[in-house]
């Protein structure tokens, strides 16, 4: 049995064509990240990342623990603002607007860039109130309109049929998978343009995971999705583009098919085939 | 393969621990039993004996207890009788040697008459001499007195009463104790003003301390930078909980009574000076002092509740476009309500039993006027008030008639325990209600 030798298996060095990062034209990208450097106190988590995230596609960030993929995700809706020790350089442009510009209202940014977390985090309220939460923050909806939006959001998250008879039960009475879809519905209700998913299925059983993945595929017709996952198969199954991060740097970013079948760099291949230590 | 027990057994520890719990439980039960029997037994309409002595003296009284005589005396045992009639005889109690008693019987006509001004009397009601206004009584010793009927609280003939009657009379006695004001320098009558004062003061204190403590906890846990200064403040707050309560009393006296109260008086009540309005102890200052005393408890409990809320909940709210204030108000605070109520429960439990600071800032030995009445502004915060804890102290230590005070002491102590239990149960019920509405925190 041949012993793996990184030298002989090395993929051809960057071919003549341009880097995959620039394959996505600015016009069709929802987010443009440029020179993003981010550090927690002394520790640098992201080192000058530059990439574009295509509109109405699923982009997956993969990489070993601590590679900075979650940090990158949380930078996209400025969730790091809460932590005073975080320092950032570089720009993130959402549909032509720099999100750190002085006039930007963070709350509105976060409405436009919704986020779903690793562990389901429904609020201790009824199912209905969970979905209504963001709507109530915006205000201005009549009860009837709100009911319609809630039904639409729950249907979009493939949860309506399961909860339509118990909308006023506690959200914590739902199963883990249902809770995660409820959280997605809650986020969809405020009509975000981008949906950030931070390992959304890692706490769920395989059936619930499949449902979430199906949901992700269905949602991309409406919005831009960014997915952080530890699960390589999941990234391969649902994403259109995949970025491999390591040590706070973007190692390789390409259409998912290409990255998984024919990675340019040995480092990427080692990771996706599980040979990386 | 060795799956056998490594050690020969768990040893005495489980038994020791269980023993400690049992001892604690027994002590609590013994305490309640003592307070209950001694305090509640007082209201039982015991039979009145007519005692004839060998030397021909006759008197009527209720047998209370027997004791061995002091050594060196001729007799061996003595019995204590409650003879009432302080207004006529000047004494309420009589020790009689058992050998001196010739005869005891229980004439059905003997009555107990409780009169607001004359105190408790034992004697025979002379129906023929009495009229609509006056009640004529002959005592066993031959005195005759007539009382205005208007002052009579109750009269009954215990020797003629059946068990049912006695139980009803006992219930009435307990009710009078709860609903009436004290008489005869707090040795007779009820404790209603003290119950009212205690509860009102605790409620006022809760109303003051809850928003203060909760806001302080929110600032410390949610808003302030978690730097050295915040840590110092937190340590200081925790240490504040250990300051002796009398120190708070001194602080209350200096700052609230003399400082704030004195200023209020010179500004708004200068026409009444030099007699103080707010410049003396009163309900408001007592409530504020106890609020200060319990503030650390509320802060610590609320902060612990806030710290238990997962950050995922906060981030979830922010990620939906909530501002920090909206996040606090709509997600964090509702989830922290049970913890806040826990803080209030602890505060109530501590404040309701505190007496020492009250001595300095407004408790009164006798304040038959409760601080709420029908004259504007209805709630009189400047008034002095009665308090069950202080009532116990007063009855127990400063009463002229120790024998009469003892049962009231026990009854008042029992009542204080019950009041605290009721206040706590109310808060616990509230907390449970809130919890079941929002569901429990995920573990």
């Amino acid at each position: 049995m041949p012993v793996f030798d990184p030298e002989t298996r090395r993929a051809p060095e960057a071919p003549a064509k341009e880097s995959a990062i620039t394959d996505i034209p600015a016009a069709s990208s929802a987010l443009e990240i440029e020179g993003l450097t981010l550090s927690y106190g002394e520790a640098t988590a992201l080192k000058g990342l530059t990439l574009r995230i295509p509109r109405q596609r699923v982009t997956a960030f993969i990489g070993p623990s601590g590679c900075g993929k979650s940090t990158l995700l949380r930078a996209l809706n400025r969730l790091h603002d809460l932590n005073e020790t975080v320092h950032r350089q570089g720009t993130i442009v959402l549909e032509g607007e720099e999100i750190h510009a002085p006039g930007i209202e963070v709350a509105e940014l976060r409405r436009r860039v919704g986020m779903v977390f690793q562990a389901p985090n429904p609020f201790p309220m009824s199912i209905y109130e969970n979905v209504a939460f963001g709507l109530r923050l915006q205000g201005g909806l009549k009860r009837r309109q709100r009911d319609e939006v809630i039904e639409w959001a729950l249907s979009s998250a493939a949860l309506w049929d399961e909860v339509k008879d118990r909308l006023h039960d506690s959200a914590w009475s739902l199963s883990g998978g249902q809770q995660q879809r409820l959280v997605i519905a809650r986020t969809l209700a405020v009509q975000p343009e981008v949906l950030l998913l931070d390992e959304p299925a890692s706490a769920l059983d395989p059936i619930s995971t499949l449902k979430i993945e199906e949901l992700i595929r269905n949602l991309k017709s409406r919005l831009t999705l960014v997915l952080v996952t530890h699960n390589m198969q999941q990234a391969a199954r649902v994403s259109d583009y995949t970025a491999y991060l390591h040590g706070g740097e973007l190692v390789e970013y390409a259409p998912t098919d290409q990255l998984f079948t024919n990675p340019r760099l040995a480092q990427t291949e080692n990771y996706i085939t599980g040979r990386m230590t | 393969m060795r799956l056998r027990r490594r050690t020969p057994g768990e040893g005495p520890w489980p038994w020791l621990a269980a023993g400690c719990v049992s001892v604690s439980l027994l002590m609590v039960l013994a305490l309640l039993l003592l307070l209950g029997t001694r305090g509640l037994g007082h209201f039982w309409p015991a039979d009145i004996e007519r005692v004839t002595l060998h030397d021909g003296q006759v008197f009527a009284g209720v047998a209370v207890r027997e004791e061995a005589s002091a050594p060196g005396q001729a007799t061996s045992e003595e019995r204590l009788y409650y003879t009432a009639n302080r207004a006529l005889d000047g004494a309420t109690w009589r020790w009689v040697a058992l050998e001196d008693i010739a005869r005891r019987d229980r004439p059905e006509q003997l009555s107990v008459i409780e009169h607001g001004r004359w105190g408790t009397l034992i004697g025979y009601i002379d129906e023929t001499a009495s009229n609509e206004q006056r009640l004529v009584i002959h005592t066993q010793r031959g005195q005759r007195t007539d009382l205005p009927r208007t002052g009579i609280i109750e009269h009954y003939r215990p020797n003629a009463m059946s068990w049912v009657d006695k139980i009803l009379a006992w219930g009435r006695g307990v009710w009078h104790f709860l609903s009436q004001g004290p008489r005869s320098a707090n040795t007779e009558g009820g404790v209603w003003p003290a119950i009212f004062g205690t509860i009102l003061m605790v409620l006022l204190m809760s109303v003051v301390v809850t928003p203060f403590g909760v806001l302080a906890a929110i600032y410390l846990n949610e808003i302030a930078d978690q730097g050295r200064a915040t840590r110092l403040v937190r340590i200081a707050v925790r240490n504040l909980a250990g300051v002796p309560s009398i120190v708070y009393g001194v602080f209350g006296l200096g700052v609230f009574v003399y400082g704030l109260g004195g200023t209020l008086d010179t500004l708004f009540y200068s026409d009444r000076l030099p007699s103080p309005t707010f410049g003396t102890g009163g309900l408001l200052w007592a409530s504020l002092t106890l609020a200060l005393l319990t503030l650390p408890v509320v802060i610590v409990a609320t902060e612990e509740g806030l710290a238990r809320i997962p950050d995922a909940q906060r981030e979830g709210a922010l990620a939906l476009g909530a501002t920090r204030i909206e996040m606090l108000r709509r997600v964090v605070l509702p989830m922290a309500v049970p913890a806040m109520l826990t803080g209030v429960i602890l505060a109530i439990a501590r404040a309701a039993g505190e007496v020492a600071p009250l001595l300095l800032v407004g408790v009164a030995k006798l304040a038959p006027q409760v601080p709420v009445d029908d004259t504007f502004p209805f709630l009189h915060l400047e008034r002095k008030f009665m308090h069950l804890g202080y009532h116990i102290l007063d009855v127990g230590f400063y009463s002229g008639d120790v024998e009469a005070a003892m049962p009231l002491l026990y009854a008042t102590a029992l009542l204080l325990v019950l009041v605290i239990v009721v206040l706590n149960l109310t808060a616990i019920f509230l907390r449970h209600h809130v919890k079941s509405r929002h569901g429990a925190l995920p573990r």
Side-chain angles (χ1 to χ4, degrees), chain A residues 74 77 79 82 84 105 107-108 110-111 113-115 117 121-125 130 133-134 136-138 170 172 186-187 190, chain B residues 223-226 311-324 326-327 330-331 334-335 437-442:
Chain A
R74 295 162 71 91
N77 65 351
L79 218 48
L82 298 178
E84 291 96 357
E105 199 192 321
E108 174 60 11
R110 293 193 185 127
R111 184 199 64 76
V113 184
M115 182 157 186
F117 298 85
N121 59 346
F123 301 131
M125 312 167 181
N130 261 281
F133 185 89
R136 288 193 198 281
L137 292 176
Q138 309 301 323
S170 167
W172 287 353
R186 181 173 81 179
T187 311
V190 292
Chain B
I223 298 172
D225 291 347
Q226 298 301 313
D311 276 340
Q313 293 283 331
R314 296 186 178 83
E315 290 178 345
L318 292 175
L320 285 171
T323 63
R324 195 152 75 156
E326 286 169 333
M327 166 197 87
R330 290 170 184 250
V331 174
M335 289 182 82
R437 194 157 56 99
H438 289 300
L441 273 179

Side-chain angles (χ1 to χ4, degrees), chain B residues 244-437:
Chain B
S245 56
I246 189 77
V247 175
Y248 284 97
V250 174
F251 179 84
L253 182 71
V255 172
F256 294 139
V257 177
Y258 293 152
L260 268 176
T263 315
L264 279 178
D265 275 1
T266 48
L267 288 179
F268 301 108
Y269 299 94
S270 49
D271 49 326
R272 294 195 208 163
L273 284 173
S275 77
T277 307
F278 276 102
T280 178
L283 182 61
L284 177 65
W285 304 138
S287 306
L288 288 185
T289 306
L290 286 192
L292 205 63
L293 174 86
T294 51
L295 190 60
V297 178
V298 177
I299 294 179
V300 169
T302 309
E303 248 207 296
E304 280 170 5
L306 289 172
R308 269 203 305 273
I309 297 172
D311 276 340
Q313 293 283 331
R314 296 186 178 83
E315 290 178 345
L318 292 175
L320 285 171
T323 63
R324 195 152 75 156
I325 298 301
E326 286 169 333
M327 166 197 87
L328 279 176
R329 207 169 62 77
R330 290 170 184 250
V331 174
V332 174
L333 281 188
M335 289 182 82
V337 166
M340 289 173 208
L341 286 174
T342 303
V344 175
I345 290 170
L346 293 173
I348 287 174
R350 171 127 200 239
E354 249 346 308
V355 180
L358 299 182
L359 297 173
L360 295 168
V361 293
V363 83
K365 175 188 169 68
L366 188 63
Q369 274 186 304
V370 292
V372 173
D373 59 25
D374 52 1
T375 57
F376 187 80
F378 311 117
L379 175 62
H380 301 275
L381 292 173
E382 80 287 357
R383 278 192 194 160
K384 289 193 185 296
F385 63 102
M386 291 181 73
H387 184 273
L388 284 171
Y390 181 68
H391 197 74
I392 292 173
L393 188 72
D394 182 64
V395 168
F397 289 91
Y398 306 120
S399 125
D401 189 344
V402 179
E403 287 290 350
M406 281 305 269
L408 287 180
L409 190 72
Y410 287 115
T412 313
L414 180 67
L415 197 59
L416 180 57
V417 172
L418 289 181
V419 164
I420 296 175
V421 167
V422 167
L423 285 169
N424 277 336
L425 282 181
T426 313
I428 289 169
F429 174 79
L430 251 172
R431 181 176 61 180
H432 178 78
H433 181 73
V434 172
K435 256 191 190 157
S436 52
R437 194 157 56 99

Side-chain angles (χ1 to χ4, degrees), chain A residues 222-233:
Chain A
R222 291 208 279 271
L223 39 81
T224 305
L225 292 112
V226 186
L227 171 74
V228 162
T229 180
H230 270 300
N231 183 331
M232 234 71 67
Q233 286 78 17

Side-chain angles (χ1 to χ4, degrees), chain A residues 117-120 175-181 184 199-213 234:
Chain A
F117 298 85
Q118 181 171 2
S175 73
Q178 289 173 324
Q179 287 188 11
Q180 196 63 305
R181 277 179 284 146
I184 294 173
E199 300 182 44
S202 67
L204 305 182
D205 63 90
I207 308 257
S208 301
T209 303
L210 279 180
K211 285 185 179 167
I212 299 279
E213 289 179 6
Q234 186 172 64

Side-chain angles (χ1 to χ4, degrees), chain B residues 48-63:
Chain B
I48 310 170
E49 290 181 1
R50 177 168 64 185
V51 183
T52 313
L53 302 182
H54 286 303
D55 63 3
Q57 275 192 60
V58 187
F59 69 91
V62 179

